[in-house]
Amino acid sequence: MSNTNVTVADYIVQRLAQEGITDCFGVPGDFAFPLCDAVVRSEKVRWIGCSNELGAAYAADGYARVRGCSMLMTTYAVGELSALNGVMGAKAERSCVFHLVGMQSMRHQRVHKITHHTLGDGVFQNFANISEQAACVSAFITPDNCIPEMERVIATARAESRPAYILVASDYAITPVTPCRVQPYPKPTSGPDLAGAVTAIAERIEAARSVAVLPAYTVSRFKHQDNLRALIEKIGCPFATMTMDKGVLLESHPQFAGMYSGAASSPEVLRAVEGADLVIDAGGVSFHDNNTAAYSSRIPAEKLLTIGIDYVRIGERIYNPVRMGDVFDDLTEVVRKNFGYKAPKKTAPTKPAGKPDDPITVDAMYARYRDFLQPNDQIVVETGSTASGIAPLPLPDGAQVHGQSLWGSIGWATGAALGVALADRSRRTVLFTGEGSHQLTAADVGTMGRNGLKPLIFVLNNSGYLVERALEKNPDWVYNDLAPWDYHTLPAALGCKDWFTAKVATLGELDAALARAGAAETACYIEVVGGRMDMPAGLALANQHLDAMYGNG
């Protein structure tokens, strides 16, 4: 890419396009106009206008999970702060979002002009320190530093798989960059500790009578699935995934033991994981409340060995810097012991129960969703009761699950589905969400229609916030009630043309809608009416352990 007579804004957009980004999510604002103009001028990046900045940030998060990185564009203060929750969630769950923010001109900043989108104090750095907290790297771009700073920012954000915050003054954005030679920024590498870490892990494996592996979501973020699978096959041990990590490796693999979630796990999985002499945390599993069924995981610290993104921990000994992929590869070369584990043959799932006139229950509904899913589906799951229902379902080969169980911002899934669908139009995007979450970001459905996307959307309508009711001892507080929307009419109201929509309340109606959606060549939006307190088993278990979950004694 030539850097002669190229403006700062154009250079930034062109450089990010080289990372494989072809879409930019955002909401225009006057201080960001020069950046927005650069996107519109670009032949490689398309502007995806969103209804609000929060939805744009969620979409950028979803897109980054598929493509590896994404671009988000907002204006100073009001725009960037509106996006902040979504960007912070991307940081928590390691999605590489390049957040570009346009701000007032340096001509105005230098004389402390009072402008809109400020506190009226002539200070223009009031919000940078806030937005920086949602990023792993930040930069104020000028014509002189644009080229080297973009290399630093991109390399750091990609190495961490976390957001970057890029701030550009409006007059600098239209100024040509100062030409200079592009110097690639050093990528992180493993240090001398690598050999010692690999030897120590191999010794622990050789000494163990049994080993289990818990692959983390980070394995997917850093594209190390093949490396880890080769290691697991070399060891010949079982692996299990937690809710946040579901689908990192194929569930049809003969060494897949099942889903592990503490006390909510099957007896077979508990024996394979908690009964193992050595448990290898591959990538840095997050043992948070939702991932462990209210902290019911029982893996003794002395049995747990962690291979993090850039370190290894064995007991109190830390080896660093060592890169996760290097550890997987080198360990595969040196390990000799093979445990010969094969998962017990899984019984064929029973046909979904219920008669056509029966009301929809969660057991009958999720059994039908299980049969509806196809290989290579992109499955986007909302935080809440939906996540508890989808997690136990077996995944078809190649299907990926996208959720946000750690940050847990309700409304995320609808926006994220927009980004996921745009990132890969060749695959089905299936969104499972609940009405409470959907009300926060339903406008993103209009953006899907505007851009010709064809998602399959299932909205569970159970008359309020079911997950909130489940996490309270009294489910009847008025603040868990919602305005009763006619959800299935939303696509038409939001400008979506030729979508199949339906509202279903019986199993017969659900079966018919699923058959239509499975064969449809259009987008589909199905409102599913469920019971007010009918919840999946995992959520019911959490309801029984509220004191443990919240530390109430």
Side-chain angles (χ1 to χ4, degrees):
M1 176 177 66
S2 172
N3 56 40
T4 303
N5 296 321
V6 178
T7 67
V8 167
D10 286 327
Y11 185 89
I12 291 171
V13 172
Q14 291 173 24
R15 182 61 187 86
L16 291 177
Q18 292 178 343
E19 296 298 304
I21 297 171
T22 57
D23 303 274
C24 175
F25 303 93
V27 176
D30 50 1
F31 298 132
F33 282 164
L35 293 171
C36 298
D37 293 345
V39 173
V40 174
R41 282 194 298 269
S42 172
E43 296 179 354
K44 296 182 178 180
V45 180
R46 182 176 53 168
W47 174 260
I48 305 296
C50 298
S51 299
N52 58 68
E53 292 87 356
L54 179 59
Y58 289 156
D61 183 352
Y63 188 99
R65 293 175 185 228
V66 178
R67 290 283 186 94
C69 60
S70 64
M71 192 187 318
L72 168 68
M73 194 170 289
T74 64
T75 197
Y76 174 81
V78 295
E80 63 181 301
L81 296 180
S82 291
L84 194 59
N85 173 42
V87 181
M88 194 69 81
K91 182 179 183 180
E93 305 217 354
R94 289 192 181 268
S95 286
C96 180
V97 176
F98 293 101
H99 185 193
L100 277 61
V101 176
M103 69 182 306
Q104 294 86 339
S105 71
M106 288 306 299
R107 293 182 179 90
H108 279 179
Q109 291 189 51
R110 293 184 193 281
V111 296
H112 303 287
K113 281 275 191 179
I114 306 301
T115 74
H116 59 284
H117 298 343
T118 72
L119 301 179
D121 54 6
V123 177
F124 297 92
Q125 299 300 319
N126 284 319
F127 314 111
N129 64 329
I130 300 174
S131 291
E132 286 171 352
Q133 299 307 306
C136 70
V137 60
S138 64
F140 177 74
I141 301 296
T142 71
D144 290 338
N145 74 13
C146 182
I147 294 174
E149 277 290 79
M150 286 303 297
E151 296 307 308
R152 179 183 70 88
V153 166
I154 291 171
T156 304
R158 296 303 296 262
E160 292 286 325
S161 190
R162 278 181 162 160
Y165 176 59
I166 302 170
L167 196 58
V168 188
S170 59
D171 52 348
Y172 280 0
I174 59 175
T175 302
V177 300
T178 301
C180 69
R181 183 179 178 182
V182 178
Q183 298 282 357
Y185 195 78
K187 294 182 178 180
T189 59
S190 296
D193 272 6
L194 176 61
V198 170
T199 298
I201 298 171
E203 289 174 352
R204 288 291 301 269
I205 293 172
E206 296 296 330
R209 291 172 298 176
S210 57
V211 174
V213 174
L214 295 176
Y217 69 102
T218 54
V219 173
S220 175
R221 298 289 194 272
F222 289 92
K223 313 299 182 188
H224 288 319
Q225 295 97 318
D226 290 344
N227 314 71
L228 179 58
R229 182 174 60 251
L231 173 60
I232 289 172
E233 290 173 351
K234 185 70 177 293
I235 300 173
C237 67
F239 71 91
T241 51
M242 302 180 80
T243 299
M244 187 174 180
D245 319 299
K246 185 175 177 63
V248 169
L249 298 179
L250 292 180
E251 294 187 353
S252 62
H253 194 285
Q255 290 167 240
F256 178 63
M259 295 296 297
Y260 174 66
S261 186
S265 311
S266 70
E268 294 81 7
V269 173
L270 282 176
R271 282 194 295 270
V273 176
E274 296 185 1
D277 276 353
L278 176 65
V279 178
I280 299 176
D281 166 8
V285 169
S286 180
F287 291 94
H288 61 77
D289 45 4
N290 293 326
N291 229 18
T292 59
Y295 303 115
S296 62
S297 174
R298 296 292 180 266
I299 302 175
E302 62 271 14
K303 287 186 176 183
L304 186 66
L305 181 158
T306 298
I307 302 173
I309 293 168
D310 56 4
Y311 74 97
V312 164
R313 178 173 180 173
I314 303 175
E316 296 302 312
R317 176 67 190 275
I318 301 293
Y319 299 85
N320 64 247
V322 293
R323 301 301 294 181
M324 173 171 57
D326 293 338
V327 177
F328 293 161
D329 290 344
D330 289 5
L331 197 55
T332 302
E333 290 294 322
V334 304
V335 73
R336 294 290 175 261
K337 194 169 186 178
N338 185 289
F339 292 88
Y341 175 85
K342 299 292 182 184
K345 187 176 180 180
K346 297 175 176 63
T347 58
T350 59
K351 184 179 179 181
K355 299 177 181 178
D357 291 336
D358 288 347
I360 297 170
T361 64
V362 292
D363 290 341
M365 178 181 70
Y366 285 113
R368 284 163 169 78
Y369 287 166
R370 174 200 66 206
D371 294 346
F372 177 77
L373 296 175
Q374 297 180 6
N376 299 314
D377 278 349
Q378 299 272 18
I379 305 163
V380 186
V381 182
E382 184 57 79
T383 298
S385 65
T386 302
S388 296
I390 294 295
L393 302 185
L395 282 183
D397 281 354
Q400 290 180 295
V401 175
H402 305 282
Q404 202 198 44
S405 65
L406 175 59
W407 188 246
S409 180
I410 64 170
W412 173 86
T414 301
L418 165 63
V420 167
L422 271 168
D424 189 349
R425 290 175 178 260
S426 70
R427 302 167 68 177
R428 293 200 320 178
T429 296
V430 187
L431 166 63
F432 296 105
T433 187
E435 59 172 327
S437 299
H438 196 52
Q439 285 199 7
L440 273 74
T441 48
D444 291 318
V445 171
T447 309
M448 296 177 195
R450 178 185 178 188
N451 288 280
L453 301 175
K454 299 177 181 180
L456 308 176
I457 301 174
F458 297 87
V459 180
L460 178 60
N461 179 353
N462 42 26
S463 302
Y465 291 116
L466 175 58
V467 67
E468 309 289 358
R469 288 173 174 154
L471 298 178
E472 294 211 63
K473 293 182 178 179
N474 179 0
D476 296 322
W477 293 112
V478 67
Y479 51 71
N480 286 324
D481 297 335
L482 292 164
W485 289 10
D486 289 324
Y487 294 94
H488 66 291
T489 67
L490 285 176
L494 294 170
C496 301
K497 306 298 183 184
D498 302 320
W499 282 34
F500 167 66
T501 63
K503 181 177 183 178
V504 299
T506 67
L507 292 178
E509 292 171 344
L510 177 58
D511 287 336
L514 286 168
R516 175 73 181 272
E521 295 183 359
T522 65
C524 300
Y525 185 106
I526 300 171
E527 177 184 352
V528 182
V529 179
R532 182 175 179 273
M533 288 299 293
D534 188 18
M535 66 186 74
L539 189 57
L541 181 66
N543 176 262
Q544 297 165 17
H545 296 85
L546 296 180
D547 287 342
M549 188 165 182
Y550 294 108
N552 293 331

